[in-house]
Amino acid sequence: MSSPRKLEKIGRSFRDNDKEDREDEEKGGFVGKVKDFIDNVGDKIEEKVGFGKPTADVTAIHFPYINLKKAEIVADVLVKNSNPIPIPLIDINYLIESDGRKLISGLIPDAGTIHAHSSETVKIPANLVYDDIKDTYRDIKPGSIIPYRIKVDLIVDVPVFGRLTLPLEKKGEIPIPHKPDIDVEKIHFQKFSSEETIAILKLRLENKNDFDLAVNGLDYDVWLSDVNVGGADLEKCAKIGKNGVSYMDLPITFRPKDFGSALWDMLRGRGTGYTMKGHINVDTPFGAMKLPISKEGGTTRLKKNKEDGGSDDDDENEVS
């Protein structure tokens, strides 16, 4: 049989446990009541004062500048603040990825303030350097188009709610441009004299990109037999489909006597070496671009018009 002392200890233990359970319940109930009170106060303040969570959306992606080296990217984020006081943008984190692979990321601290009862567009700039991503991901080639996903975290500080993170994202495509290939297929005389010759360059342009190019202008300089025959800055219109070819006529003026004996080799059909350098201005689905054009070590032939003594056979001369 248990002794009275043992029974007394057991009874005291049960009483102590019951007391602790009641204290825990009372403590939990108290904490819960405090939390409910704070939530209710917050709801009342939000209801009376009009505080609410701001909203945001990535409304557009722009490419203000694209060349063969980099693309400037700007994301427009529309932030709406319905609160009666300004809301500070503490930080903006952004990430641009392609097929789950990171292309670029960054942080913009202290990004400004959204005024009370207003909507403002916040611009997030980023520079995508092509060499960096081509060195990292060897399957990304010039002339291609790659998919992208931009992820943005807006971190704001709102009364009552505290610090909030607004996650956003948008998908699209980024071009990796390739410069066009050029060839001067023929040079047609329009006017020939010893003092001044006016000719037309028959220029072949090949688009090496997976997107269309709408040419609206170009500048160029031309060398024939190592003699600079000048160039021009012209407004020219031509559309070159993706991976397609187009032709343009470009005027040049030069003095034959500057060539010496090389001119007679050209006229006898022996061909002449040429170099051409310049740029073409194009519109693309991604915005305007200024792409370089260049060809060194090419060979072409002169063709005189029939009234100047030329023949149809001259049309068969090709570039090499």
Side-chain angles (χ1 to χ4, degrees), residues 121-150:
T121 297
V122 178
K123 295 187 177 294
I124 303 175
N127 284 329
L128 182 64
V129 179
Y130 293 131
D131 282 347
D132 291 345
I133 62 173
K134 287 186 291 186
D135 290 343
T136 305
Y137 309 117
R138 297 304 178 98
D139 59 314
I140 296 179
K141 303 295 184 183
S144 62
I145 300 174
I146 61 174
Y148 75 84
R149 181 201 304 264
I150 181 169

PDB file of all heavy atoms in Angstrom, residues 121-150:
ATOM      1  N   THR A 121       4.900  56.089 -62.342  1.00  0.00           N
ATOM      2  CA  THR A 121       5.669  55.080 -63.059  1.00  0.00           C
ATOM      3  C   THR A 121       7.126  55.149 -62.642  1.00  0.00           C
ATOM      4  O   THR A 121       7.774  56.188 -62.777  1.00  0.00           O
ATOM      5  CB  THR A 121       5.557  55.284 -64.583  1.00  0.00           C
ATOM      6  OG1 THR A 121       4.196  55.104 -64.987  1.00  0.00           O
ATOM      7  CG2 THR A 121       6.421  54.275 -65.330  1.00  0.00           C
ATOM      8  N   VAL A 122       7.600  54.060 -62.106  1.00  0.00           N
ATOM      9  CA  VAL A 122       9.000  53.946 -61.679  1.00  0.00           C
ATOM     10  C   VAL A 122       9.766  53.218 -62.781  1.00  0.00           C
ATOM     11  O   VAL A 122       9.354  52.144 -63.233  1.00  0.00           O
ATOM     12  CB  VAL A 122       9.112  53.172 -60.355  1.00  0.00           C
ATOM     13  CG1 VAL A 122      10.568  53.019 -59.952  1.00  0.00           C
ATOM     14  CG2 VAL A 122       8.312  53.866 -59.266  1.00  0.00           C
ATOM     15  N   LYS A 123      10.858  53.817 -63.241  1.00  0.00           N
ATOM     16  CA  LYS A 123      11.657  53.227 -64.316  1.00  0.00           C
ATOM     17  C   LYS A 123      12.861  52.490 -63.727  1.00  0.00           C
ATOM     18  O   LYS A 123      13.606  53.048 -62.920  1.00  0.00           O
ATOM     19  CB  LYS A 123      12.103  54.294 -65.309  1.00  0.00           C
ATOM     20  CG  LYS A 123      10.929  54.939 -66.057  1.00  0.00           C
ATOM     21  CD  LYS A 123      11.403  55.872 -67.139  1.00  0.00           C
ATOM     22  CE  LYS A 123      10.221  56.451 -67.908  1.00  0.00           C
ATOM     23  NZ  LYS A 123       9.493  55.409 -68.664  1.00  0.00           N
ATOM     24  N   ILE A 124      13.011  51.238 -64.158  1.00  0.00           N
ATOM     25  CA  ILE A 124      14.113  50.402 -63.684  1.00  0.00           C
ATOM     26  C   ILE A 124      15.057  50.157 -64.858  1.00  0.00           C
ATOM     27  O   ILE A 124      14.745  49.397 -65.773  1.00  0.00           O
ATOM     28  CB  ILE A 124      13.593  49.072 -63.128  1.00  0.00           C
ATOM     29  CG1 ILE A 124      12.588  49.329 -62.000  1.00  0.00           C
ATOM     30  CG2 ILE A 124      14.743  48.205 -62.637  1.00  0.00           C
ATOM     31  CD1 ILE A 124      11.930  48.066 -61.483  1.00  0.00           C
ATOM     32  N   PRO A 125      16.241  50.798 -64.876  1.00  0.00           N
ATOM     33  CA  PRO A 125      17.185  50.617 -65.983  1.00  0.00           C
ATOM     34  C   PRO A 125      18.159  49.470 -65.731  1.00  0.00           C
ATOM     35  O   PRO A 125      18.535  49.190 -64.587  1.00  0.00           O
ATOM     36  CB  PRO A 125      17.915  51.958 -66.023  1.00  0.00           C
ATOM     37  CG  PRO A 125      17.942  52.387 -64.586  1.00  0.00           C
ATOM     38  CD  PRO A 125      16.674  51.851 -63.940  1.00  0.00           C
ATOM     39  N   ALA A 126      18.567  48.819 -66.816  1.00  0.00           N
ATOM     40  CA  ALA A 126      19.566  47.747 -66.731  1.00  0.00           C
ATOM     41  C   ALA A 126      20.325  47.691 -68.050  1.00  0.00           C
ATOM     42  O   ALA A 126      19.762  47.991 -69.114  1.00  0.00           O
ATOM     43  CB  ALA A 126      18.909  46.403 -66.436  1.00  0.00           C
ATOM     44  N   ASN A 127      21.590  47.321 -67.983  1.00  0.00           N
ATOM     45  CA  ASN A 127      22.426  47.161 -69.173  1.00  0.00           C
ATOM     46  C   ASN A 127      22.805  45.690 -69.334  1.00  0.00           C
ATOM     47  O   ASN A 127      23.411  45.101 -68.440  1.00  0.00           O
ATOM     48  CB  ASN A 127      23.706  48.003 -69.074  1.00  0.00           C
ATOM     49  CG  ASN A 127      23.447  49.473 -69.321  1.00  0.00           C
ATOM     50  OD1 ASN A 127      22.555  49.844 -70.078  1.00  0.00           O
ATOM     51  ND2 ASN A 127      24.218  50.328 -68.665  1.00  0.00           N
ATOM     52  N   LEU A 128      22.443  45.134 -70.491  1.00  0.00           N
ATOM     53  CA  LEU A 128      22.774  43.749 -70.788  1.00  0.00           C
ATOM     54  C   LEU A 128      23.941  43.725 -71.768  1.00  0.00           C
ATOM     55  O   LEU A 128      23.796  44.121 -72.931  1.00  0.00           O
ATOM     56  CB  LEU A 128      21.558  43.031 -71.390  1.00  0.00           C
ATOM     57  CG  LEU A 128      21.729  41.547 -71.706  1.00  0.00           C
ATOM     58  CD1 LEU A 128      21.978  40.760 -70.434  1.00  0.00           C
ATOM     59  CD2 LEU A 128      20.491  41.011 -72.417  1.00  0.00           C
ATOM     60  N   VAL A 129      25.113  43.297 -71.291  1.00  0.00           N
ATOM     61  CA  VAL A 129      26.322  43.250 -72.127  1.00  0.00           C
ATOM     62  C   VAL A 129      26.378  41.877 -72.795  1.00  0.00           C
ATOM     63  O   VAL A 129      26.437  40.843 -72.127  1.00  0.00           O
ATOM     64  CB  VAL A 129      27.585  43.498 -71.277  1.00  0.00           C
ATOM     65  CG1 VAL A 129      28.834  43.420 -72.144  1.00  0.00           C
ATOM     66  CG2 VAL A 129      27.496  44.854 -70.588  1.00  0.00           C
ATOM     67  N   TYR A 130      26.352  41.871 -74.133  1.00  0.00           N
ATOM     68  CA  TYR A 130      26.240  40.614 -74.873  1.00  0.00           C
ATOM     69  C   TYR A 130      27.437  39.694 -74.664  1.00  0.00           C
ATOM     70  O   TYR A 130      27.276  38.477 -74.563  1.00  0.00           O
ATOM     71  CB  TYR A 130      26.059  40.901 -76.367  1.00  0.00           C
ATOM     72  CG  TYR A 130      24.749  41.570 -76.693  1.00  0.00           C
ATOM     73  CD1 TYR A 130      24.697  42.708 -77.494  1.00  0.00           C
ATOM     74  CD2 TYR A 130      23.543  41.067 -76.206  1.00  0.00           C
ATOM     75  CE1 TYR A 130      23.500  43.316 -77.800  1.00  0.00           C
ATOM     76  CE2 TYR A 130      22.341  41.672 -76.508  1.00  0.00           C
ATOM     77  CZ  TYR A 130      22.328  42.800 -77.304  1.00  0.00           C
ATOM     78  OH  TYR A 130      21.140  43.398 -77.594  1.00  0.00           O
ATOM     79  N   ASP A 131      28.637  40.259 -74.606  1.00  0.00           N
ATOM     80  CA  ASP A 131      29.816  39.400 -74.430  1.00  0.00           C
ATOM     81  C   ASP A 131      29.739  38.614 -73.127  1.00  0.00           C
ATOM     82  O   ASP A 131      30.193  37.462 -73.057  1.00  0.00           O
ATOM     83  CB  ASP A 131      31.097  40.244 -74.463  1.00  0.00           C
ATOM     84  CG  ASP A 131      31.501  40.649 -75.877  1.00  0.00           C
ATOM     85  OD1 ASP A 131      30.928  40.068 -76.833  1.00  0.00           O
ATOM     86  OD2 ASP A 131      32.360  41.526 -76.028  1.00  0.00           O
ATOM     87  N   ASP A 132      29.175  39.230 -72.100  1.00  0.00           N
ATOM     88  CA  ASP A 132      29.077  38.543 -70.810  1.00  0.00           C
ATOM     89  C   ASP A 132      28.196  37.298 -70.909  1.00  0.00           C
ATOM     90  O   ASP A 132      28.559  36.224 -70.404  1.00  0.00           O
ATOM     91  CB  ASP A 132      28.502  39.485 -69.745  1.00  0.00           C
ATOM     92  CG  ASP A 132      29.473  40.602 -69.388  1.00  0.00           C
ATOM     93  OD1 ASP A 132      30.665  40.489 -69.737  1.00  0.00           O
ATOM     94  OD2 ASP A 132      29.042  41.584 -68.763  1.00  0.00           O
ATOM     95  N   ILE A 133      27.050  37.436 -71.563  1.00  0.00           N
ATOM     96  CA  ILE A 133      26.146  36.281 -71.617  1.00  0.00           C
ATOM     97  C   ILE A 133      26.613  35.266 -72.665  1.00  0.00           C
ATOM     98  O   ILE A 133      26.425  34.061 -72.489  1.00  0.00           O
ATOM     99  CB  ILE A 133      24.686  36.712 -71.883  1.00  0.00           C
ATOM    100  CG1 ILE A 133      24.544  37.416 -73.239  1.00  0.00           C
ATOM    101  CG2 ILE A 133      24.188  37.625 -70.786  1.00  0.00           C
ATOM    102  CD1 ILE A 133      23.099  37.712 -73.605  1.00  0.00           C
ATOM    103  N   LYS A 134      27.267  35.733 -73.761  1.00  0.00           N
ATOM    104  CA  LYS A 134      27.757  34.788 -74.762  1.00  0.00           C
ATOM    105  C   LYS A 134      28.934  33.976 -74.234  1.00  0.00           C
ATOM    106  O   LYS A 134      29.086  32.809 -74.586  1.00  0.00           O
ATOM    107  CB  LYS A 134      28.139  35.535 -76.045  1.00  0.00           C
ATOM    108  CG  LYS A 134      26.936  36.031 -76.850  1.00  0.00           C
ATOM    109  CD  LYS A 134      27.338  36.627 -78.189  1.00  0.00           C
ATOM    110  CE  LYS A 134      28.062  37.916 -78.033  1.00  0.00           C
ATOM    111  NZ  LYS A 134      28.340  38.588 -79.330  1.00  0.00           N
ATOM    112  N   ASP A 135      29.749  34.597 -73.378  1.00  0.00           N
ATOM    113  CA  ASP A 135      30.855  33.866 -72.773  1.00  0.00           C
ATOM    114  C   ASP A 135      30.355  32.852 -71.751  1.00  0.00           C
ATOM    115  O   ASP A 135      30.965  31.802 -71.547  1.00  0.00           O
ATOM    116  CB  ASP A 135      31.830  34.836 -72.096  1.00  0.00           C
ATOM    117  CG  ASP A 135      32.610  35.670 -73.108  1.00  0.00           C
ATOM    118  OD1 ASP A 135      32.622  35.277 -74.299  1.00  0.00           O
ATOM    119  OD2 ASP A 135      33.169  36.712 -72.712  1.00  0.00           O
ATOM    120  N   THR A 136      29.246  33.180 -71.085  1.00  0.00           N
ATOM    121  CA  THR A 136      28.698  32.288 -70.064  1.00  0.00           C
ATOM    122  C   THR A 136      27.863  31.171 -70.676  1.00  0.00           C
ATOM    123  O   THR A 136      27.954  30.009 -70.273  1.00  0.00           O
ATOM    124  CB  THR A 136      27.842  33.091 -69.065  1.00  0.00           C
ATOM    125  OG1 THR A 136      28.633  34.159 -68.517  1.00  0.00           O
ATOM    126  CG2 THR A 136      27.351  32.209 -67.927  1.00  0.00           C
ATOM    127  N   TYR A 137      27.060  31.521 -71.664  1.00  0.00           N
ATOM    128  CA  TYR A 137      26.163  30.547 -72.295  1.00  0.00           C
ATOM    129  C   TYR A 137      26.520  30.458 -73.783  1.00  0.00           C
ATOM    130  O   TYR A 137      26.117  31.306 -74.583  1.00  0.00           O
ATOM    131  CB  TYR A 137      24.699  30.971 -72.115  1.00  0.00           C
ATOM    132  CG  TYR A 137      24.345  31.286 -70.678  1.00  0.00           C
ATOM    133  CD1 TYR A 137      23.944  32.568 -70.299  1.00  0.00           C
ATOM    134  CD2 TYR A 137      24.427  30.315 -69.683  1.00  0.00           C
ATOM    135  CE1 TYR A 137      23.629  32.865 -68.986  1.00  0.00           C
ATOM    136  CE2 TYR A 137      24.115  30.609 -68.362  1.00  0.00           C
ATOM    137  CZ  TYR A 137      23.714  31.886 -68.015  1.00  0.00           C
ATOM    138  OH  TYR A 137      23.402  32.171 -66.715  1.00  0.00           O
ATOM    139  N   ARG A 138      27.296  29.459 -74.142  1.00  0.00           N
ATOM    140  CA  ARG A 138      27.854  29.362 -75.486  1.00  0.00           C
ATOM    141  C   ARG A 138      26.793  29.103 -76.563  1.00  0.00           C
ATOM    142  O   ARG A 138      27.072  29.281 -77.750  1.00  0.00           O
ATOM    143  CB  ARG A 138      28.912  28.243 -75.527  1.00  0.00           C
ATOM    144  CG  ARG A 138      30.115  28.505 -74.622  1.00  0.00           C
ATOM    145  CD  ARG A 138      30.764  29.839 -74.945  1.00  0.00           C
ATOM    146  NE  ARG A 138      31.890  30.159 -74.085  1.00  0.00           N
ATOM    147  CZ  ARG A 138      33.145  29.971 -74.409  1.00  0.00           C
ATOM    148  NH1 ARG A 138      33.444  29.437 -75.576  1.00  0.00           N
ATOM    149  NH2 ARG A 138      34.108  30.318 -73.572  1.00  0.00           N
ATOM    150  N   ASP A 139      25.597  28.662 -76.158  1.00  0.00           N
ATOM    151  CA  ASP A 139      24.557  28.387 -77.148  1.00  0.00           C
ATOM    152  C   ASP A 139      23.845  29.658 -77.598  1.00  0.00           C
ATOM    153  O   ASP A 139      23.061  29.628 -78.546  1.00  0.00           O
ATOM    154  CB  ASP A 139      23.532  27.398 -76.583  1.00  0.00           C
ATOM    155  CG  ASP A 139      22.870  27.914 -75.317  1.00  0.00           C
ATOM    156  OD1 ASP A 139      23.599  28.414 -74.444  1.00  0.00           O
ATOM    157  OD2 ASP A 139      21.632  27.831 -75.206  1.00  0.00           O
ATOM    158  N   ILE A 140      24.105  30.783 -76.942  1.00  0.00           N
ATOM    159  CA  ILE A 140      23.509  32.061 -77.353  1.00  0.00           C
ATOM    160  C   ILE A 140      24.395  32.678 -78.426  1.00  0.00           C
ATOM    161  O   ILE A 140      25.541  33.038 -78.174  1.00  0.00           O
ATOM    162  CB  ILE A 140      23.350  33.005 -76.147  1.00  0.00           C
ATOM    163  CG1 ILE A 140      22.370  32.401 -75.136  1.00  0.00           C
ATOM    164  CG2 ILE A 140      22.861  34.377 -76.595  1.00  0.00           C
ATOM    165  CD1 ILE A 140      22.170  33.251 -73.891  1.00  0.00           C
ATOM    166  N   LYS A 141      23.857  32.796 -79.644  1.00  0.00           N
ATOM    167  CA  LYS A 141      24.644  33.221 -80.798  1.00  0.00           C
ATOM    168  C   LYS A 141      24.183  34.587 -81.307  1.00  0.00           C
ATOM    169  O   LYS A 141      23.012  34.949 -81.169  1.00  0.00           O
ATOM    170  CB  LYS A 141      24.515  32.198 -81.935  1.00  0.00           C
ATOM    171  CG  LYS A 141      24.928  30.780 -81.555  1.00  0.00           C
ATOM    172  CD  LYS A 141      26.401  30.684 -81.219  1.00  0.00           C
ATOM    173  CE  LYS A 141      26.818  29.243 -80.933  1.00  0.00           C
ATOM    174  NZ  LYS A 141      28.248  29.167 -80.543  1.00  0.00           N
ATOM    175  N   PRO A 142      25.104  35.360 -81.938  1.00  0.00           N
ATOM    176  CA  PRO A 142      24.697  36.612 -82.579  1.00  0.00           C
ATOM    177  C   PRO A 142      23.645  36.353 -83.658  1.00  0.00           C
ATOM    178  O   PRO A 142      23.714  35.374 -84.390  1.00  0.00           O
ATOM    179  CB  PRO A 142      26.004  37.129 -83.200  1.00  0.00           C
ATOM    180  CG  PRO A 142      27.093  36.494 -82.390  1.00  0.00           C
ATOM    181  CD  PRO A 142      26.571  35.142 -82.010  1.00  0.00           C
ATOM    182  N   GLY A 143      22.673  37.247 -83.723  1.00  0.00           N
ATOM    183  CA  GLY A 143      21.593  37.116 -84.695  1.00  0.00           C
ATOM    184  C   GLY A 143      20.363  36.412 -84.148  1.00  0.00           C
ATOM    185  O   GLY A 143      19.327  36.374 -84.817  1.00  0.00           O
ATOM    186  N   SER A 144      20.457  35.878 -82.936  1.00  0.00           N
ATOM    187  CA  SER A 144      19.348  35.110 -82.384  1.00  0.00           C
ATOM    188  C   SER A 144      18.424  36.000 -81.548  1.00  0.00           C
ATOM    189  O   SER A 144      18.728  37.150 -81.236  1.00  0.00           O
ATOM    190  CB  SER A 144      19.877  33.956 -81.527  1.00  0.00           C
ATOM    191  OG  SER A 144      20.632  34.449 -80.432  1.00  0.00           O
ATOM    192  N   ILE A 145      17.282  35.433 -81.186  1.00  0.00           N
ATOM    193  CA  ILE A 145      16.332  36.062 -80.268  1.00  0.00           C
ATOM    194  C   ILE A 145      16.153  35.110 -79.097  1.00  0.00           C
ATOM    195  O   ILE A 145      15.897  33.923 -79.300  1.00  0.00           O
ATOM    196  CB  ILE A 145      14.974  36.320 -80.947  1.00  0.00           C
ATOM    197  CG1 ILE A 145      15.131  37.240 -82.163  1.00  0.00           C
ATOM    198  CG2 ILE A 145      13.985  36.927 -79.957  1.00  0.00           C
ATOM    199  CD1 ILE A 145      13.852  37.406 -82.961  1.00  0.00           C
ATOM    200  N   ILE A 146      16.312  35.613 -77.881  1.00  0.00           N
ATOM    201  CA  ILE A 146      16.188  34.746 -76.710  1.00  0.00           C
ATOM    202  C   ILE A 146      15.020  35.211 -75.844  1.00  0.00           C
ATOM    203  O   ILE A 146      14.743  36.415 -75.759  1.00  0.00           O
ATOM    204  CB  ILE A 146      17.487  34.715 -75.876  1.00  0.00           C
ATOM    205  CG1 ILE A 146      17.836  36.103 -75.344  1.00  0.00           C
ATOM    206  CG2 ILE A 146      18.635  34.160 -76.705  1.00  0.00           C
ATOM    207  CD1 ILE A 146      19.014  36.119 -74.389  1.00  0.00           C
ATOM    208  N   PRO A 147      14.315  34.283 -75.197  1.00  0.00           N
ATOM    209  CA  PRO A 147      13.236  34.675 -74.292  1.00  0.00           C
ATOM    210  C   PRO A 147      13.811  35.205 -72.982  1.00  0.00           C
ATOM    211  O   PRO A 147      14.916  34.839 -72.579  1.00  0.00           O
ATOM    212  CB  PRO A 147      12.476  33.363 -74.071  1.00  0.00           C
ATOM    213  CG  PRO A 147      13.523  32.308 -74.224  1.00  0.00           C
ATOM    214  CD  PRO A 147      14.480  32.818 -75.281  1.00  0.00           C
ATOM    215  N   TYR A 148      13.068  36.086 -72.343  1.00  0.00           N
ATOM    216  CA  TYR A 148      13.497  36.570 -71.034  1.00  0.00           C
ATOM    217  C   TYR A 148      12.301  36.656 -70.098  1.00  0.00           C
ATOM    218  O   TYR A 148      11.143  36.734 -70.517  1.00  0.00           O
ATOM    219  CB  TYR A 148      14.182  37.941 -71.131  1.00  0.00           C
ATOM    220  CG  TYR A 148      13.229  39.093 -71.364  1.00  0.00           C
ATOM    221  CD1 TYR A 148      12.552  39.708 -70.300  1.00  0.00           C
ATOM    222  CD2 TYR A 148      13.000  39.588 -72.639  1.00  0.00           C
ATOM    223  CE1 TYR A 148      11.681  40.752 -70.512  1.00  0.00           C
ATOM    224  CE2 TYR A 148      12.127  40.627 -72.868  1.00  0.00           C
ATOM    225  CZ  TYR A 148      11.474  41.211 -71.796  1.00  0.00           C
ATOM    226  OH  TYR A 148      10.594  42.246 -72.012  1.00  0.00           O
ATOM    227  N   ARG A 149      12.621  36.631 -68.818  1.00  0.00           N
ATOM    228  CA  ARG A 149      11.648  36.897 -67.755  1.00  0.00           C
ATOM    229  C   ARG A 149      12.299  37.881 -66.795  1.00  0.00           C
ATOM    230  O   ARG A 149      13.399  37.633 -66.303  1.00  0.00           O
ATOM    231  CB  ARG A 149      11.279  35.610 -67.007  1.00  0.00           C
ATOM    232  CG  ARG A 149      10.224  35.830 -65.894  1.00  0.00           C
ATOM    233  CD  ARG A 149      10.274  34.689 -64.880  1.00  0.00           C
ATOM    234  NE  ARG A 149      10.100  33.406 -65.511  1.00  0.00           N
ATOM    235  CZ  ARG A 149       8.922  32.762 -65.591  1.00  0.00           C
ATOM    236  NH1 ARG A 149       7.847  33.308 -65.064  1.00  0.00           N
ATOM    237  NH2 ARG A 149       8.857  31.577 -66.171  1.00  0.00           N
ATOM    238  N   ILE A 150      11.636  39.012 -66.560  1.00  0.00           N
ATOM    239  CA  ILE A 150      12.147  39.981 -65.604  1.00  0.00           C
ATOM    240  C   ILE A 150      11.331  39.874 -64.330  1.00  0.00           C
ATOM    241  O   ILE A 150      10.099  39.862 -64.354  1.00  0.00           O
ATOM    242  CB  ILE A 150      12.116  41.423 -66.173  1.00  0.00           C
ATOM    243  CG1 ILE A 150      12.686  42.402 -65.139  1.00  0.00           C
ATOM    244  CG2 ILE A 150      10.717  41.840 -66.605  1.00  0.00           C
ATOM    245  CD1 ILE A 150      12.943  43.786 -65.688  1.00  0.00           C
TER     246      ILE A 150
END
